[in-house]
Amino acid sequence: MRIYFAALVGILLLIGSGTGSAQSLLSREISIKARETSIKELLREIEKQGNLKFSYSDDVVPVEKKITLNLRQVRVSEALDQILANTFIDYRENGNQILLFRKRLNLDPEKKFTVSGFVREAVSGEPLLGVNLLIRGSGLGTTTNAYGYYSLTASSDTFHLLISYVGFSSVDQFILLDRDIELNINLETNNELHEVVVEARKNDVPAELISLSKMEVPVAQIQDIPQLFGEKDVFKVMKLMPGVQSGNEGQTGLYVRGGGNDQNLIILDDATVYNASHFFGFFSLFNGDALRSVELTKGGFPARYGGRLSSVLDIHMKDGNKREYHGTGGIGLLSSRLTLEGPIKKDVSSFLISGRRTYLLDLMLKPLMSQSMDLGMYFYDITAKADWIFSDKDKLILSFYTGRDRLYLEEGSGSYKAKSSINWSNVTGTLRWNHVFNKKIFSNTSLIFSDYRLRINSQADYAGKLYQLNLGSGIRDLSLKSDFDYSPNSRHALRYGGILTYHRFNPQAVYERNDFIDLEVEGSELYHSGEMALYGEDIYHLSSRWRVHSGLRLVNFFARGKDYFRIEPRLMLIYAPDANQSFKFSYTIMNQFIHLLTNTGVGLPTDLWVPSTENIRPQHSQQLAVGYSYLINKINSIVSAELYYKRSRNVIGYKEGATFVEVAQNGIPEKVNWEQNITQGQGTSYGAELLIQKKFGKLTGWLGYTLSWSWLQFDDLNDGKPFYARYDRRHDISLVGIYRFNERISLSSSWVYGTGSAITLPVARYYTLPHNPADPVPPSTLNFQLVNEYGGRNQYRMSPYHRLDFAIQFHKKKKYWERTWEISVYNLYNRKNPYFYYINNENSKLQQMSLLPIIPSISYSFKF
């Protein structure tokens, strides 16, 4: 009997134990050992070991958050407590599954609070601009401004904040918003080579889908793209983007959506740069080692930008490392460079100084010169920056740039000596004060200086008598600017401010001395003008699908008693039906009050900056653009297509035979009035642009294609008939690829193709005798002159331009530093691209002049 009773009790206990186990999923025991494993993967492992099921939404649970665990024989509830710590996610059993849900807190949804702070690079403390901060599942969010500051106001609640930035590991932050929070975030650089899978979620729209006609190229990617002599050039990379004309060596500046070179606003740390090229347009001013970000805007311009018709290239320099001393540098065939940065006081202030100087040009020219001749050319640039954090609310930043190009020739011996030179230089300086008024208002106030100068000097000394001619031109600006960022709530982001600028134009300064005829003349032409602007911008989230970017800019320009007041509305609409696609529309009005006069087509720096006057009206444009973007998650790529139409008025043209240099009549210098030598007309440009870009994985790069038309029409030119602009290009293609085999070897290549530029060629040639009715001596048959007869303007095309560049980089990490060898080939298949055409006088045949053949180069870079 006892035996039967004991057996019965045992059976009941076993049944009870089994029943209790089935009813209590959270009490089941599991073991987990994981390192940097996502919550989603951990939940799957628990489901497998515990023979159970979780129910949750990816929009609520931070499934991508990485967790490191080492648990042995613990209950499911204990594991969940550790996995969901600091996430505001709770759990409970519900039948045969475990529910995961957001904790219910007694918060007042009517109350609103603000989370704000700075986003910085973890290692250096460098502020990061354009970082995306998104409230998961809401479609609401913001981005950091140019100084790394953000402010996000939302209803009192718990929410999941996702912080993401290209090239950095994303951060999941879980916020209990029951008060105003100051949250500074440090992002770690993501150096992993494997593909990063971007999972689209309901109402979460990637940043690439909510911009129109704007391009950001990571500085690290600029360093990888092959370039001439290994020089990493911002402008050359920008020319590989759709809508920006590529090709043509020696073509200075940018030609964007049918606009001229002077229609681009180039900004370096708030300072305007008026001549952004070295070596007659072959290289840009900017040393890539000192740059933090590069952003090109071709349309849909925010109201804070003004003064140009075609584009804005906004470049920011690095602030400098606040925690460690570092350096980068390189030695190439053309130049050497060195950048140093580090803390002045750790976590409080830092410095950065960068320099670059060429030497190849001098070395190449020396062997070609005779003993009585010295010819050389070089350029250099120096960039410096320092900043001080005085408190959590105040920061002072000082930026400086100077660069100079010089081409010189000295010849002669004995009683005859001559020398001449062309020099052009840029100097910019910016002093900025960042101030946080409160959680919602951030301000930046800048004092800005910019100076561009061109000098042409020629001097000859013969038997003690001197002839000297000095020509110069330039423009100098002094500006005071203040910008405010205001974030009233999670649906609104306001930006407003103003700028006051004093311009001093010096179109032409002349000094001439001639001891042979006892002549000395000196003169300088100066124009003083002022420009004032007020602006306001608003980014408003109508819903999770609709966004409106609106703005208004009021501008007043005055010079020599003439005032021009202009109103410039800006509007952009964005519709994102889901996280993978968006439709965009923009309309902008722009005005340009300063003009660049040049009568050369080969990139020479003999340009004159002049203001609008009573006779020369400001340039004006209206631009419409529509776009569509689609995110392809499977291959981590984005496809963007845009159509644009731009109509311009009062664009500058040059009358036939116009010149802006000093001329002489009967030995007496005579001034040329530049206003009488130019004309104004209309411009029309339209086209389509396609960009397919891949930013992640071992293989990155892009394919860009542009189909465009650019027309000009002047009453005083081409018999008043419209004609193609010189920079009109029907087709423009660029293909860029970067492949990283591993941490030590990477390959890069780029191929460009462009329809030939429009040019004017003579249709006939004949000889004629010069005739001067005032000359009593009849012309002689020995004085025949060859005359070209021209047809319509720009009716002919150069040959198409195409070129393939290739580079391979070998990286190696040492104990305290890292070095890179790069072998590159410019124009790999030795294409003879046209530089210009001329008529051979001997046989009257059209001849092509080409510049750059296949050019191999090697460079060495290091960083520590």
Side-chain angles (χ1 to χ4, degrees), residues 635-647:
I635 59 173
N636 300 319
S637 300
I638 189 166
V639 178
S640 297
E642 293 187 19
L643 302 174
Y644 69 89
Y645 177 87
K646 183 168 66 175
R647 182 76 172 172

Side-chain angles (χ1 to χ4, degrees), residues 560-679:
R560 292 194 172 183
K562 179 64 177 179
D563 280 10
Y564 291 102
F565 177 76
R566 297 290 185 267
I567 300 176
E568 301 177 355
R570 317 285 173 83
L571 177 66
M572 182 163 64
L573 300 176
I574 300 172
Y575 172 66
D578 55 48
N580 290 326
Q581 59 182 328
S582 64
F583 301 84
K584 294 159 284 189
F585 164 85
S586 72
Y587 172 75
T588 57
I589 289 180
M590 305 286 280
N591 291 280
Q592 181 168 331
F593 301 94
I594 64 176
H595 317 280
L596 181 65
L597 308 183
T598 175
N599 59 350
T600 67
V602 293
L604 294 173
T606 50
D607 303 332
L608 313 177
W609 284 99
V610 295
S612 295
T613 64
E614 186 176 2
N615 300 316
I616 307 301
R617 298 179 63 80
Q619 301 180 57
H620 172 90
S621 75
Q622 300 182 62
Q623 183 179 151
L624 287 170
V626 294
Y628 172 76
S629 297
Y630 184 75
L631 183 65
I632 308 174
N633 288 308
K634 290 184 178 180
I635 59 173
N636 300 319
S637 300
I638 189 166
V639 178
S640 297
E642 293 187 19
L643 302 174
Y644 69 89
Y645 177 87
K646 183 168 66 175
R647 182 76 172 172
S648 303
R649 299 198 315 265
N650 302 325
V651 296
I652 296 295
Y654 310 102
K655 293 181 179 179
E656 301 292 351
T659 180
F660 304 102
V661 297
E662 195 78 7
V663 297
Q665 184 177 359
N666 299 326
I668 301 175
E670 184 177 284
K671 184 73 69 177
V672 177
N673 187 332
W674 61 268
E675 292 187 61
Q676 296 177 359
N677 279 281
I678 64 175
T679 183

Side-chain angles (χ1 to χ4, degrees), residues 205-257:
V205 182
E208 293 88 349
L209 298 182
I210 58 176
S211 61
L212 178 66
S213 304
K214 185 171 74 171
M215 297 177 178
E216 296 181 50
V217 179
V219 174
Q221 201 169 48
I222 294 175
Q223 301 287 353
D224 289 335
I225 297 174
Q227 297 291 345
L228 179 63
F229 290 114
E231 289 290 312
K232 304 308 179 182
D233 194 296
V234 172
F235 272 27
K236 293 295 189 295
V237 175
M238 287 300 162
K239 289 178 181 180
L240 296 173
M241 293 295 181
V244 184
Q245 189 183 108
S246 63
N248 288 8
E249 290 93 355
Q251 175 183 281
T252 183
L254 301 174
Y255 295 83
V256 180
R257 288 187 171 177

Side-chain angles (χ1 to χ4, degrees), residues 173-184:
Q173 191 72 40
F174 305 94
I175 307 295
L176 171 59
L177 197 62
D178 59 351
R179 56 186 172 82
D180 288 340
I181 298 174
E182 182 177 338
L183 178 64
N184 296 321

Side-chain angles (χ1 to χ4, degrees), residues 506-518:
N506 184 199
Q508 198 169 47
V510 179
Y511 174 78
E512 185 174 12
R513 174 184 172 182
N514 192 336
D515 291 349
F516 296 92
I517 58 174
D518 195 22

Side-chain angles (χ1 to χ4, degrees), residues 25-70:
L25 303 177
L26 294 170
S27 63
R28 296 181 182 180
E29 290 189 348
I30 59 170
S31 297
I32 294 181
K33 185 176 182 180
R35 181 175 179 81
E36 290 297 305
T37 304
S38 70
I39 288 180
K40 174 171 280 190
E41 293 176 2
L42 292 174
L43 294 177
R44 287 174 180 169
E45 181 62 24
I46 294 175
E47 286 179 330
K48 182 179 178 180
Q49 289 191 35
N51 191 25
L52 52 85
K53 184 70 176 177
F54 287 106
S55 177
Y56 61 89
S57 169
D58 286 359
D59 290 337
V60 174
V61 178
V63 291
E64 293 101 350
K65 185 180 180 182
K66 305 292 186 180
I67 303 291
T68 298
L69 287 176
N70 188 1

